Amino acid sequence: MLLNSRRPGSLSFLLLLTLLLSACGESNTLILYDPGVTPVVAVPPHTASTILNGGAAWIHNCQAGWKAYQAHPTYRNEQGVEKPRDVYLYGHFWLQPPDGSLWNYIQHGRSDKEQCVENVLQVAHQNHSKVYGVLGVDLSPGAWTKDDVISYTQWAAKDARVLQPILHQLAQYHYDGLVNDIEAGDDNNPAAFTAYNTNLRKMLHNENPQSLLGTTLIAKTTDLSTTWQNWQGLADGAVDFFVIMALDHDTIYSDPTPIVDTNWLQHIYSYLKRFPQLTVEWELPTYCRLWRLDNGWSNQTCEYPEAARLVHDLQNGTGGRIIEDHSQALDSPSIHYRDNNGAESYLYYETLPGLINQVKVLQGLQGNQCLHLSFWDDDTGEPRELWPSLNQQDAIKLC
């Protein structure tokens, strides 16, 4: 198990010790990393496996995400073998308008973030984890717009040379592959997103045949949803695996609604069965959603630790007045309450029993087929015992 409380200056000694142990055949040694350590260690070449692991972690906020990952860096597969979780790492692959160049932390005065990302790569690879660079865009005000994303995707679909900076970055830092996390596109031209992925995968495999390309997909149950993501087109050789984002179901509603429920998972799976040839990873939510009634319902995202505190306060009479308490429900846990200002409110959040139940439902749908699993948002907290509890469930088989 990785430890978090290391003294500054200990990393160099530990890396040396690991090299010595490796020379003696001790190849399973776990390297420890302290984000406060100043030196940046060069990233060595790394040879990836073409097999996607059954457990993965998303690291968006580098230091917070790495700390969370270190608490549970491994999982047990269906044979009971302990394996390192894959790492989906943000940072090196933020696309920049208008030309698709990549954000550079050093040029923008953030050497601390560059150091953290490089150290995560170094230590994760020393621990035999595969690291995938996450390819994304910033859709916040003043950054990209949906039209920018569409223009870039159409450009990359016609001229693969625009993707060259991505391949250069991949080779420079020895990533094991990419997860494409572009979440906007042209509903009238879905072929562009498919062709963009096809070009990227071809270039990626030409660079290293063992590298994998995954694409996040907004969960849907019919062809009429998010038509710019043509699942059949993507399944026909455009990507190596799907990441089904089984979350944000509530964003299509204007009234308080669960983030995800097992009925919706069943509908997603029924649609997904039309594409049996592709490896699928399920991404489930560990965040929460607060709904508040004030001239109509509005909502905001919150994080698991915040939800846990609010539930504690409500149940102890300090966070408001409970109307209905369904926090112990296995499916769609929630609390309906009036906050301390008297506003009618709902909290929907994912509890540990609820998440385990969702995974068991997915396992039941897939039968004897093992699962690939990740959760969002790892950076800001998830139930502390989530991965240890998954390891203890005989009914759940991770790949």
Side-chain angles (χ1 to χ4, degrees), residues 20-94:
L20 292 172
L21 289 173
S22 297
C24 297
E26 297 292 334
S27 59
N28 292 325
T29 302
L30 289 179
I31 310 297
L32 309 180
Y33 166 56
D34 179 354
V37 174
T38 301
V40 176
V41 183
V43 180
H46 184 72
T47 302
S49 167
T50 55
I51 300 175
L52 188 70
N53 275 341
W58 299 85
I59 295 183
H60 182 272
N61 179 315
C62 185
Q63 291 197 5
W66 181 241
K67 181 178 180 180
Y69 177 81
Q70 288 182 104
H72 302 292
T74 63
Y75 72 99
R76 293 191 183 278
N77 69 4
E78 57 184 325
Q79 287 82 33
V81 177
E82 189 172 18
K83 300 181 65 177
R85 286 198 284 156
D86 290 341
V87 175
Y88 297 157
L89 181 60
Y90 289 82
H92 277 150
F93 296 95
W94 287 113

Coordinates of all heavy atoms in Angstrom, one line a residue, residues 20-94:
L20 N 17.7 -1.1 -6.9 CA 18.5 -2.2 -6.3 C 17.7 -3.5 -6.1 O 18.1 -4.6 -6.5 CB 19.2 -1.8 -5.0 CG 20.3 -0.7 -5.1 CD1 20.7 -0.2 -3.7 CD2 21.5 -1.2 -5.9
L21 N 16.5 -3.3 -5.6 CA 15.6 -4.4 -5.4 C 15.2 -5.1 -6.7 O 15.1 -6.3 -6.8 CB 14.4 -4.0 -4.6 CG 14.6 -3.7 -3.1 CD1 13.3 -3.1 -2.5 CD2 15.1 -4.9 -2.4
S22 N 14.9 -4.2 -7.7 CA 14.6 -4.7 -9.0 C 15.7 -5.5 -9.6 O 15.4 -6.6 -10.3 CB 14.2 -3.5 -10.0 OG 13.1 -2.8 -9.5
A23 N 16.9 -5.1 -9.4 CA 18.1 -5.9 -9.9 C 18.1 -7.2 -9.3 O 18.7 -8.2 -9.9 CB 19.4 -5.1 -9.7
C24 N 17.6 -7.3 -8.1 CA 17.6 -8.6 -7.4 C 16.3 -9.4 -7.7 O 16.1 -10.4 -7.0 CB 17.7 -8.4 -5.9 SG 19.3 -7.6 -5.4
G25 N 15.5 -8.9 -8.6 CA 14.3 -9.7 -8.9 C 13.1 -9.3 -8.2 O 12.0 -9.8 -8.4
E26 N 13.1 -8.2 -7.3 CA 11.9 -7.8 -6.6 C 11.2 -6.8 -7.4 O 11.3 -5.6 -7.2 CB 12.4 -7.2 -5.2 CG 13.0 -8.2 -4.3 CD 12.0 -9.2 -3.8 OE1 10.8 -9.0 -3.8 OE2 12.5 -10.3 -3.5
S27 N 10.5 -7.2 -8.4 CA 9.9 -6.3 -9.4 C 8.5 -5.7 -9.0 O 8.0 -4.9 -9.6 CB 9.7 -7.0 -10.7 OG 8.9 -8.1 -10.6
N28 N 8.0 -6.2 -7.8 CA 6.7 -5.8 -7.4 C 6.7 -4.7 -6.4 O 5.7 -4.3 -5.8 CB 5.9 -6.9 -6.9 CG 5.5 -7.9 -8.0 OD1 5.3 -7.5 -9.1 ND2 5.5 -9.2 -7.6
T29 N 7.9 -4.1 -6.1 CA 8.0 -3.1 -5.1 C 7.2 -1.8 -5.5 O 7.2 -1.4 -6.6 CB 9.5 -2.6 -5.0 OG1 10.2 -3.8 -4.6 CG2 9.6 -1.6 -3.9
L30 N 6.4 -1.3 -4.5 CA 5.6 -0.1 -4.7 C 6.5 1.1 -4.4 O 7.0 1.2 -3.3 CB 4.4 -0.1 -3.9 CG 3.3 -1.1 -4.3 CD1 2.1 -1.0 -3.3 CD2 2.8 -0.9 -5.7
I31 N 6.5 2.1 -5.3 CA 7.3 3.3 -5.1 C 6.4 4.3 -4.4 O 5.2 4.4 -4.7 CB 7.8 3.9 -6.4 CG1 8.4 2.8 -7.3 CG2 8.7 5.1 -6.2 CD1 9.7 2.3 -6.7
L32 N 7.0 5.0 -3.5 CA 6.2 6.1 -2.7 C 6.6 7.4 -3.3 O 7.7 7.7 -3.8 CB 6.6 6.1 -1.3 CG 6.6 4.7 -0.6 CD1 7.0 4.9 0.9 CD2 5.2 4.1 -0.7
Y33 N 5.6 8.3 -3.3 CA 5.8 9.6 -3.9 C 5.2 10.7 -3.0 O 4.1 10.6 -2.5 CB 5.1 9.7 -5.3 CG 4.9 11.2 -5.8 CD1 6.1 12.0 -5.9 CD2 3.7 11.7 -6.1 CE1 6.0 13.3 -6.3 CE2 3.6 13.0 -6.5 CZ 4.7 13.8 -6.7 OH 4.6 15.1 -7.1
D34 N 6.0 11.7 -2.7 CA 5.6 12.8 -1.9 C 5.4 14.0 -2.8 O 6.4 14.5 -3.4 CB 6.6 13.1 -0.8 CG 6.3 14.3 0.1 OD1 5.3 15.0 -0.2 OD2 7.0 14.6 1.1
P35 N 4.2 14.6 -3.0 CA 4.1 15.7 -3.9 C 4.9 16.9 -3.5 O 5.1 17.8 -4.3 CB 2.6 16.1 -3.8 CG 1.9 14.8 -3.3 CD 2.9 14.2 -2.4
G36 N 5.4 17.0 -2.3 CA 6.2 18.1 -1.9 C 7.7 18.0 -2.3 O 8.4 19.0 -2.2
V37 N 8.1 16.9 -2.9 CA 9.5 16.7 -3.3 C 9.7 17.6 -4.5 O 8.9 17.6 -5.5 CB 9.7 15.3 -3.6 CG1 11.1 15.1 -4.2 CG2 9.6 14.4 -2.3
T38 N 10.8 18.3 -4.5 CA 11.1 19.3 -5.6 C 11.6 18.6 -6.9 O 11.2 19.0 -8.0 CB 12.1 20.3 -5.1 OG1 11.5 21.0 -4.0 CG2 12.4 21.3 -6.2
P39 N 12.6 17.7 -6.8 CA 13.2 17.3 -8.1 C 12.2 16.6 -9.0 O 11.3 15.9 -8.6 CB 14.3 16.2 -7.6 CG 14.5 16.6 -6.2 CD 13.2 17.1 -5.7
V40 N 12.3 16.8 -10.3 CA 11.5 16.2 -11.3 C 12.3 15.0 -11.9 O 13.4 15.3 -12.4 CB 11.1 17.1 -12.4 CG1 10.3 16.4 -13.5 CG2 10.2 18.3 -11.8
V41 N 11.8 13.8 -11.8 CA 12.6 12.7 -12.3 C 12.2 12.4 -13.7 O 11.1 12.4 -14.1 CB 12.2 11.4 -11.4 CG1 13.0 10.2 -11.8 CG2 12.5 11.8 -9.9
A42 N 13.2 12.1 -14.6 CA 13.0 11.8 -16.0 C 12.1 10.6 -16.1 O 12.2 9.6 -15.4 CB 14.3 11.6 -16.7
V43 N 11.2 10.6 -17.1 CA 10.2 9.5 -17.3 C 10.9 8.5 -18.2 O 11.3 8.8 -19.3 CB 8.9 10.0 -17.9 CG1 8.0 8.9 -18.2 CG2 8.3 11.1 -17.0
P44 N 11.0 7.2 -17.8 CA 11.7 6.2 -18.6 C 10.8 5.7 -19.7 O 9.6 5.8 -19.6 CB 12.0 5.1 -17.6 CG 10.9 5.2 -16.6 CD 10.5 6.7 -16.5
P45 N 11.3 5.1 -20.7 CA 10.5 4.4 -21.7 C 9.7 3.3 -21.0 O 10.1 2.7 -20.0 CB 11.5 3.8 -22.7 CG 12.7 4.6 -22.5 CD 12.7 5.0 -21.1
H46 N 8.5 3.0 -21.5 CA 7.6 2.1 -20.9 C 6.9 1.3 -21.9 O 6.4 1.8 -22.9 CB 6.6 2.8 -20.0 CG 5.7 1.9 -19.2 ND1 6.1 1.1 -18.2 CD2 4.4 1.6 -19.4 CE1 5.1 0.4 -17.7 NE2 4.1 0.6 -18.4
T47 N 6.8 0.0 -21.8 CA 6.1 -0.9 -22.7 C 4.8 -1.3 -22.2 O 4.7 -1.8 -21.1 CB 6.9 -2.2 -23.0 OG1 8.2 -1.8 -23.5 CG2 6.2 -3.0 -24.0
A48 N 3.7 -0.9 -22.9 CA 2.4 -1.2 -22.4 C 1.8 -2.5 -22.8 O 2.3 -3.1 -23.8 CB 1.4 -0.1 -23.0
S49 N 0.9 -3.0 -22.0 CA 0.1 -4.2 -22.4 C -1.1 -3.8 -23.2 O -1.6 -2.7 -23.0 CB -0.3 -5.0 -21.2 OG -1.2 -6.0 -21.5
T50 N -1.5 -4.6 -24.2 CA -2.7 -4.3 -25.0 C -4.0 -4.6 -24.2 O -5.0 -4.5 -24.8 CB -2.6 -5.0 -26.3 OG1 -2.5 -6.4 -26.1 CG2 -1.5 -4.5 -27.2
I51 N -3.9 -5.1 -23.0 CA -5.0 -5.5 -22.2 C -5.4 -4.4 -21.3 O -4.6 -3.9 -20.5 CB -4.8 -6.8 -21.4 CG1 -4.4 -7.9 -22.4 CG2 -6.0 -7.2 -20.6 CD1 -4.0 -9.2 -21.7
L52 N -6.7 -3.9 -21.4 CA -7.2 -2.9 -20.5 C -7.5 -3.5 -19.1 O -8.1 -4.6 -19.0 CB -8.5 -2.4 -21.0 CG -9.1 -1.1 -20.3 CD1 -8.2 0.1 -20.6 CD2 -10.5 -0.9 -20.9
N53 N -7.0 -2.9 -18.1 CA -7.2 -3.4 -16.7 C -8.6 -3.2 -16.3 O -9.3 -2.4 -16.8 CB -6.2 -2.7 -15.7 CG -4.8 -3.4 -15.7 OD1 -4.7 -4.5 -16.1 ND2 -3.9 -2.7 -15.2
G54 N -9.0 -3.9 -15.2 CA -10.4 -3.9 -14.8 C -10.7 -2.7 -13.8 O -11.8 -2.4 -13.6
G55 N -9.6 -2.1 -13.3 CA -9.9 -0.9 -12.4 C -9.1 0.3 -12.9 O -7.9 0.1 -13.4
A56 N -9.6 1.5 -12.8 CA -8.9 2.7 -13.3 C -9.3 3.8 -12.4 O -10.4 3.8 -11.7 CB -9.3 3.0 -14.7
A57 N -8.4 4.8 -12.4 CA -8.7 6.1 -11.6 C -8.5 7.3 -12.5 O -7.5 7.3 -13.3 CB -7.7 6.1 -10.4
W58 N -9.3 8.3 -12.3 CA -9.2 9.5 -13.1 C -8.5 10.5 -12.2 O -8.9 10.7 -11.0 CB -10.6 10.1 -13.4 CG -11.4 9.2 -14.3 CD1 -12.2 8.2 -13.9 CD2 -11.5 9.3 -15.7 NE1 -12.8 7.6 -15.0 CE2 -12.4 8.2 -16.1 CE3 -10.9 10.1 -16.7 CZ2 -12.7 8.0 -17.5 CZ3 -11.3 9.9 -18.0 CH2 -12.1 8.9 -18.4
I59 N -7.4 11.1 -12.7 CA -6.7 12.1 -11.9 C -6.7 13.4 -12.7 O -6.1 13.6 -13.7 CB -5.2 11.7 -11.7 CG1 -5.2 10.4 -10.8 CG2 -4.4 12.8 -11.1 CD1 -3.8 10.0 -10.5
H60 N -7.5 14.3 -12.2 CA -7.8 15.6 -12.8 C -7.0 16.7 -12.0 O -6.2 17.4 -12.6 CB -9.3 16.0 -12.8 CG -9.6 17.2 -13.5 ND1 -9.7 18.4 -12.8 CD2 -10.0 17.5 -14.8 CE1 -10.0 19.4 -13.6 NE2 -10.2 18.9 -14.8
N61 N -7.3 16.8 -10.8 CA -6.4 17.7 -9.9 C -5.2 16.8 -9.5 O -5.4 15.9 -8.7 CB -7.3 18.1 -8.7 CG -6.5 19.0 -7.7 OD1 -5.3 18.7 -7.4 ND2 -7.1 20.0 -7.2
C62 N -4.1 17.1 -10.0 CA -2.9 16.2 -9.9 C -2.6 15.8 -8.5 O -2.6 14.6 -8.1 CB -1.7 16.8 -10.6 SG -0.3 15.7 -10.6
Q63 N -2.4 16.7 -7.6 CA -1.9 16.4 -6.2 C -3.0 15.7 -5.4 O -2.8 14.7 -4.8 CB -1.4 17.6 -5.5 CG -0.1 18.1 -6.1 CD 0.7 19.0 -5.1 OE1 0.3 19.2 -4.0 NE2 1.8 19.6 -5.6
A64 N -4.3 16.2 -5.5 CA -5.4 15.6 -4.8 C -5.7 14.2 -5.3 O -6.0 13.3 -4.6 CB -6.6 16.5 -4.8
G65 N -5.7 14.1 -6.7 CA -6.0 12.9 -7.3 C -5.0 11.8 -7.0 O -5.3 10.6 -6.8
W66 N -3.7 12.2 -7.0 CA -2.6 11.2 -6.8 C -2.7 10.8 -5.3 O -2.5 9.6 -5.1 CB -1.3 11.9 -7.1 CG -0.1 11.0 -6.9 CD1 0.9 11.1 -6.1 CD2 0.1 9.7 -7.6 NE1 1.8 10.1 -6.2 CE2 1.3 9.2 -7.1 CE3 -0.6 9.0 -8.6 CZ2 1.9 8.0 -7.5 CZ3 0.0 7.8 -9.0 CH2 1.2 7.3 -8.5
K67 N -3.0 11.7 -4.4 CA -3.1 11.3 -3.0 C -4.3 10.3 -2.9 O -4.1 9.2 -2.1 CB -3.4 12.5 -2.2 CG -3.5 12.2 -0.7 CD -3.7 13.5 0.1 CE -3.8 13.1 1.6 NZ -4.0 14.4 2.4
A68 N -5.4 10.5 -3.5 CA -6.5 9.6 -3.4 C -6.2 8.2 -4.0 O -6.5 7.2 -3.5 CB -7.7 10.2 -4.1
Y69 N -5.4 8.3 -5.1 CA -5.0 7.0 -5.8 C -4.1 6.2 -4.9 O -4.2 5.0 -4.9 CB -4.4 7.3 -7.1 CG -3.8 6.1 -7.9 CD1 -4.7 5.4 -8.7 CD2 -2.5 5.8 -7.8 CE1 -4.3 4.2 -9.4 CE2 -2.0 4.6 -8.5 CZ -2.9 3.9 -9.3 OH -2.5 2.8 -10.0
Q70 N -3.2 6.9 -4.2 CA -2.2 6.2 -3.4 C -2.9 5.4 -2.3 O -2.4 4.4 -1.8 CB -1.2 7.2 -2.8 CG -0.2 7.7 -3.8 CD 0.8 8.6 -3.2 OE1 1.9 8.3 -3.0 NE2 0.3 9.8 -2.9
A71 N -4.1 5.9 -1.8 CA -4.8 5.2 -0.8 C -5.2 3.8 -1.2 O -5.2 2.8 -0.4 CB -6.0 6.0 -0.3
H72 N -5.5 3.6 -2.5 CA -6.0 2.3 -3.0 C -5.5 2.2 -4.4 O -6.3 2.3 -5.4 CB -7.5 2.2 -2.9 CG -8.1 2.4 -1.6 ND1 -7.8 1.5 -0.5 CD2 -8.8 3.3 -1.0 CE1 -8.5 1.9 0.6 NE2 -9.1 3.0 0.3
P73 N -4.2 1.9 -4.6 CA -3.6 1.9 -6.0 C -3.9 0.5 -6.7 O -3.5 0.4 -7.9 CB -2.1 2.1 -5.7 CG -1.9 1.4 -4.4 CD -3.1 1.7 -3.6
T74 N -4.5 -0.4 -6.0 CA -4.6 -1.8 -6.6 C -6.1 -2.2 -6.5 O -6.9 -1.6 -5.8 CB -3.7 -2.8 -6.0 OG1 -4.1 -2.9 -4.6 CG2 -2.3 -2.4 -6.1
Y75 N -6.4 -3.3 -7.3 CA -7.7 -4.0 -7.2 C -7.4 -5.4 -7.4 O -6.3 -5.8 -7.7 CB -8.6 -3.4 -8.3 CG -8.3 -3.9 -9.7 CD1 -8.9 -5.0 -10.2 CD2 -7.3 -3.3 -10.4 CE1 -8.6 -5.5 -11.5 CE2 -6.9 -3.7 -11.7 CZ -7.6 -4.8 -12.2 OH -7.3 -5.2 -13.5
R76 N -8.4 -6.3 -7.1 CA -8.3 -7.7 -7.3 C -9.1 -8.1 -8.5 O -10.3 -7.8 -8.6 CB -8.7 -8.5 -6.1 CG -7.8 -8.3 -4.9 CD -8.0 -9.2 -3.8 NE -7.2 -9.0 -2.6 CZ -5.9 -9.4 -2.5 NH1 -5.4 -10.1 -3.5 NH2 -5.2 -9.1 -1.5
N77 N -8.5 -8.9 -9.4 CA -9.3 -9.3 -10.6 C -10.1 -10.5 -10.3 O -10.1 -11.0 -9.2 CB -8.3 -9.5 -11.8 CG -7.4 -10.7 -11.7 OD1 -7.5 -11.4 -10.7 ND2 -6.5 -10.9 -12.6
E78 N -10.7 -11.1 -11.3 CA -11.6 -12.2 -11.1 C -10.9 -13.5 -10.6 O -11.6 -14.3 -10.0 CB -12.4 -12.5 -12.4 CG -11.6 -12.8 -13.6 CD -12.4 -13.0 -14.8 OE1 -13.5 -13.6 -14.7 OE2 -12.0 -12.7 -15.9
Q79 N -9.6 -13.6 -10.8 CA -8.8 -14.7 -10.3 C -8.3 -14.4 -8.8 O -7.6 -15.2 -8.3 CB -7.7 -15.0 -11.2 CG -8.0 -15.7 -12.5 CD -8.5 -14.8 -13.5 OE1 -8.1 -13.6 -13.6 NE2 -9.5 -15.2 -14.4
G80 N -8.6 -13.2 -8.3 CA -8.2 -12.8 -7.0 C -6.7 -12.3 -7.0 O -6.2 -12.1 -5.9
V81 N -6.2 -12.0 -8.2 CA -4.8 -11.5 -8.3 C -4.9 -10.0 -8.1 O -5.7 -9.3 -8.7 CB -4.2 -11.8 -9.7 CG1 -2.8 -11.2 -9.8 CG2 -4.2 -13.3 -9.9
E82 N -4.0 -9.5 -7.2 CA -3.9 -8.0 -7.0 C -3.1 -7.4 -8.2 O -2.0 -7.8 -8.6 CB -3.1 -7.7 -5.7 CG -3.2 -6.3 -5.3 CD -2.6 -6.0 -3.9 OE1 -1.9 -6.9 -3.4 OE2 -2.9 -5.0 -3.3
K83 N -3.8 -6.3 -8.8 CA -3.2 -5.7 -9.9 C -3.3 -4.2 -9.7 O -4.2 -3.7 -9.0 CB -4.0 -6.0 -11.2 CG -4.0 -7.5 -11.5 CD -4.8 -7.8 -12.8 CE -4.1 -7.2 -14.0 NZ -4.8 -7.5 -15.3
P84 N -2.3 -3.4 -10.3 CA -2.4 -1.9 -10.2 C -3.5 -1.4 -11.1 O -3.8 -1.9 -12.2 CB -1.0 -1.5 -10.7 CG -0.6 -2.6 -11.7 CD -1.2 -3.9 -11.1
R85 N -4.2 -0.4 -10.5 CA -5.2 0.3 -11.3 C -4.6 1.2 -12.4 O -3.6 1.8 -12.2 CB -6.1 1.2 -10.4 CG -7.1 0.4 -9.6 CD -8.2 1.3 -9.0 NE -7.7 2.2 -8.0 CZ -8.3 3.3 -7.6 NH1 -9.3 3.8 -8.3 NH2 -7.8 4.0 -6.6
D86 N -5.2 1.2 -13.6 CA -4.8 2.1 -14.6 C -5.0 3.6 -14.1 O -5.9 3.8 -13.3 CB -5.6 1.9 -15.9 CG -5.3 0.6 -16.6 OD1 -4.2 0.0 -16.3 OD2 -6.1 0.2 -17.4
V87 N -4.3 4.5 -14.7 CA -4.4 5.9 -14.4 C -4.8 6.7 -15.6 O -4.1 6.6 -16.7 CB -3.0 6.5 -13.8 CG1 -3.1 8.0 -13.6 CG2 -2.7 5.8 -12.5
Y88 N -5.9 7.4 -15.5 CA -6.3 8.3 -16.6 C -5.9 9.8 -16.1 O -6.5 10.3 -15.3 CB -7.8 8.3 -16.8 CG -8.2 6.9 -17.3 CD1 -9.6 6.5 -17.1 CD2 -7.4 6.0 -17.9 CE1 -10.0 5.3 -17.6 CE2 -7.8 4.8 -18.4 CZ -9.1 4.4 -18.2 OH -9.6 3.2 -18.6
L89 N -4.8 10.3 -16.8 CA -4.2 11.5 -16.2 C -4.4 12.7 -17.1 O -4.1 12.7 -18.3 CB -2.7 11.2 -16.1 CG -1.8 12.3 -15.6 CD1 -2.2 12.7 -14.2 CD2 -0.3 11.9 -15.6
Y90 N -5.0 13.7 -16.5 CA -5.2 15.0 -17.2 C -3.9 15.8 -17.1 O -3.2 15.7 -16.1 CB -6.4 15.8 -16.6 CG -7.7 15.2 -16.9 CD1 -8.3 14.2 -16.1 CD2 -8.5 15.8 -17.9 CE1 -9.5 13.7 -16.4 CE2 -9.8 15.3 -18.1 CZ -10.3 14.3 -17.4 OH -11.6 13.8 -17.6
G91 N -3.7 16.8 -18.0 CA -2.6 17.7 -17.9 C -1.9 18.0 -19.1 O -1.7 19.1 -19.5
H92 N -1.4 16.9 -19.8 CA -0.5 17.1 -20.9 C -1.3 17.2 -22.3 O -0.7 17.5 -23.3 CB 0.4 15.9 -21.0 CG 1.6 16.0 -20.2 ND1 2.3 14.9 -19.6 CD2 2.3 17.1 -19.8 CE1 3.3 15.3 -18.9 NE2 3.4 16.7 -19.0
F93 N -2.6 17.0 -22.2 CA -3.4 16.9 -23.5 C -4.6 17.8 -23.5 O -5.6 17.4 -24.0 CB -3.8 15.4 -23.7 CG -2.6 14.5 -23.9 CD1 -2.1 13.8 -22.9 CD2 -2.0 14.4 -25.2 CE1 -1.0 12.9 -23.1 CE2 -0.9 13.5 -25.4 CZ -0.4 12.8 -24.3
W94 N -4.4 19.0 -22.9 CA -5.5 20.0 -23.1 C -5.3 20.7 -24.4 O -4.3 21.4 -24.7 CB -5.4 21.0 -21.9 CG -5.9 20.5 -20.6 CD1 -5.1 20.4 -19.5 CD2 -7.2 20.1 -20.2 NE1 -5.8 19.9 -18.5 CE2 -7.1 19.7 -18.9 CE3 -8.4 20.1 -20.9 CZ2 -8.3 19.3 -18.2 CZ3 -9.5 19.7 -20.2 CH2 -9.4 19.3 -18.9

